[in-house]
Amino acid sequence: MRFGLIGDPLGHSRSRELHALLADYEYRLWPVKPEALDAFLRAGGFDGINVTIPHKRAVMPYLDQISPQAQAVGCVNTVVRRADGKLFGDNTDLYGMEVAARKAGLRLGEGKTLVLGSGGTSLTACALVRQAGGEAVVVSRQGENHYGNLERHADARWLINATPVGMYPQVEESPVDLRRLPALEGILDVVYNPLRTRLTQQAQSLGLPCGDGLTMLVYQAVRACELFTGRPVPPQRIQRAQRLLRSQAMNVVLVGMPGVGKSTVGALVGRRLGREVVDLDAQIAAQAGMDIPQIFAREGEAGFRAREAETLRRFALEGGRVLVTGGGAVLEAQNRLNLRANGWVVHLARPLDALPLEGRPLSRDRAALKDMWRRRAPLYAACADAVYDNTKTPDACAGAIEEGWYEVLGAQRAQSEPAGRA
């Protein structure tokens, strides 16, 4: 069977990897420019295709039948050749978004949903809200409802970000400040790189349920796979795909006071999980050509922090590693946000009187150490997803972190797959 993806360009598509996890057919990437679409479709060299930009509407005149879902959205992203040779078109993005919203706890049939953006994904979101029986309000840069008059919809209960705002590499951006919408009960962000955008991080800080684009990505492919094969995808294959993609995208990040044992424990965690370990202080020293105390002596703390922020951002926004941070990495708000973007952040803790002082530029004595802890403790708490005590052996601590990692992925240790790199 001949399955694949058409679009232009296809350089960053993960469809081949995803379909390989869900089914056992060969899946190809066919770069097709707009002027070549007619010849490709008429040649008929496929049994099923996924369709991405810029062809989602252009394929529709070639289809013999279009599903009600695709008609509601106004575009097609999956085409199947039936036994009689006729072409059937569907929109599986709608199904993927519905699953993502449902898993996040969004009840789109109740009240008003703000849909950010006016592109193709916005059409999918509006169709989903209408399908659920709710009210969809599109917010864009221009028009009746725009970002400048957002307060007129302060009664909105749900929000779907259907824009690429916040996507890598412009991760510092967010489409809206959620504090302007006091009635919100949950959000869905279709962006999946990074896993936690600035928007979803703010939602979490406000205690709002939120869904990410990775769930939508997986389930739109699940629905396409079922259309291709005519069979349901086994739940265990769906779960494995979700686990593997999330694992590839995520870092295990260790934060904590200087001398708490992050480097030692991090090396052990990396060995247990089969992951590369990156010590950010070691990276900074290597790039500077001098050790950390020398950087402090020559450039001061401000110079070191600037180097730290640049190095941290570079590694934090990639996935599949164990990141060992310096004790003060959490001081800058942007650092904390970047660490959490693709990271499961672990606060490694140990009693202050057990922390060494030698070679630590900012913790010269116990009084300085206690003052440092007083200032940093709330920042560690704000950044971390979990806290682990390193009071027994480093290996025992690493083992506990390993078990916690599998719980985060929803996998049993014996069933886990190597994390790999994204």
Side-chain angles (χ1 to χ4, degrees):
M1 302 294 285
R2 302 161 299 172
F3 302 121
L5 172 70
I6 66 169
D8 182 44
L10 297 179
H12 299 291
S13 172
R14 304 195 70 177
S15 293
R16 177 184 289 169
E17 175 189 9
L18 186 47
H19 280 260
L21 292 168
L22 296 173
D24 298 319
Y25 48 69
E26 182 182 0
Y27 188 95
R28 299 178 57 188
L29 300 183
W30 286 302
V32 176
K33 293 191 175 297
E35 60 271 22
L37 180 64
D38 180 83
F40 177 87
L41 292 174
R42 293 187 186 282
F46 63 88
D47 297 293
I49 51 173
N50 290 129
V51 183
T52 189
I53 295 172
H55 305 314
K56 288 188 174 184
R57 291 190 180 183
V59 299
M60 294 177 75
Y62 295 88
L63 305 181
D64 300 291
Q65 185 181 358
I66 299 174
S67 74
Q69 291 79 11
Q71 290 174 349
V73 175
C75 63
V76 162
N77 79 334
T78 303
V79 176
V80 176
R81 187 181 307 280
R82 291 184 160 163
D84 59 4
K86 292 184 177 180
L87 296 180
F88 168 77
D90 202 351
N91 190 303
T92 69
D93 284 339
L94 185 64
Y95 176 75
M97 187 178 289
E98 188 277 326
V99 174
R102 173 163 41 84
K103 286 181 175 289
L106 275 62
R107 302 184 301 278
L108 300 178
E110 302 175 11
K112 180 187 295 183
T113 298
L114 295 186
V115 177
L116 307 184
S118 55
T121 308
S122 173
L123 296 175
T124 304
C126 289
L128 177 62
V129 174
R130 290 194 298 268
Q131 176 181 282
E135 176 189 1
V137 175
V138 174
V139 177
S140 58
R141 293 190 182 126
Q142 300 177 343
E144 179 183 358
N145 300 299
H146 52 80
Y147 295 103
N149 64 10
L150 203 61
E151 281 75 12
R152 70 191 296 184
H153 298 293
D155 59 335
R157 296 177 61 181
W158 318 105
L159 181 143
I160 298 176
N161 177 34
T163 78
V165 176
M167 182 184 296
Y168 180 84
Q170 279 79 41
V171 299
E172 288 82 9
E173 299 178 4
S174 181
V176 297
D177 184 344
L178 297 177
R179 292 173 295 184
R180 298 171 66 188
L181 301 167
L184 275 186
E185 297 182 31
I187 76 161
L188 172 64
D189 194 335
V190 302
V191 173
Y192 60 86
N193 182 18
L195 292 175
R196 290 196 277 205
T197 62
R198 293 297 195 261
L199 184 70
T200 55
Q201 289 196 56
Q202 186 185 32
Q204 289 174 337
S205 72
L206 296 172
L208 297 175
C210 53
D212 61 52
L214 188 63
T215 301
M216 177 178 168
L217 175 71
V218 170
Y219 277 91
Q220 64 79 26
V222 168
R223 178 60 182 149
C225 179
E226 292 175 343
L227 288 170
F228 289 165
T229 65
R231 300 186 302 272
V233 178
Q236 60 270 25
R237 295 196 74 151
I238 300 174
Q239 293 161 7
R240 182 176 183 273
Q242 289 182 293
R243 286 198 307 266
L244 187 57
L245 292 186
R246 200 167 291 277
S247 174
Q248 289 176 338
M250 288 177 69
N251 294 306
V252 178
V253 180
L254 302 186
V255 301
M257 289 286 283
V260 78
K262 298 187 295 293
S263 295
T264 301
V265 172
L268 293 169
V269 171
R271 193 176 307 154
R272 285 172 171 269
L273 299 180
R275 291 184 162 226
E276 177 188 3
V277 179
V278 174
D279 188 310
L280 295 181
D281 277 358
Q283 289 286 330
I284 295 166
Q287 291 165 14
M290 50 185 161
D291 62 25
I292 302 301
Q294 288 176 312
I295 297 175
F296 270 83
R298 296 186 185 185
E299 302 178 4
E301 184 175 1
F304 172 77
R305 295 301 174 201
R307 289 178 178 272
E308 180 180 58
E310 179 182 358
T311 304
L312 182 151
R313 185 185 190 277
R314 177 161 61 92
F315 285 102
L317 297 182
E318 297 177 357
R321 296 185 173 103
V322 175
L323 300 186
V324 176
T325 68
V330 299
L331 293 173
E332 296 293 330
Q334 288 298 324
N335 286 354
R336 298 194 298 272
L337 291 167
N338 284 336
L339 288 173
R340 288 177 56 78
N342 281 326
W344 179 57
V345 183
V346 171
H347 176 202
L348 210 59
R350 181 184 282 175
L352 291 185
D353 58 10
L355 300 181
L357 301 179
E358 185 178 354
R360 310 290 175 180
L362 298 180
S363 52
R364 301 172 300 277
D365 52 46
R366 293 296 166 191
L369 191 65
K370 288 180 180 179
D371 182 62
M372 179 188 293
W373 170 251
R374 178 185 57 79
R375 290 181 286 110
R376 293 183 181 181
L379 302 180
Y380 292 135
C383 185
D385 297 295
V387 180
Y388 288 88
D389 287 327
N390 187 22
T391 53
K392 297 180 180 178
T393 67
D395 194 61
C397 183
I401 292 171
E402 180 188 19
E403 293 297 333
W405 170 248
Y406 292 133
E407 289 179 11
V408 168
L409 294 179
Q412 295 297 318
R413 177 176 175 179
Q415 298 173 342
S416 66
E417 303 86 10
R421 287 287 309 282

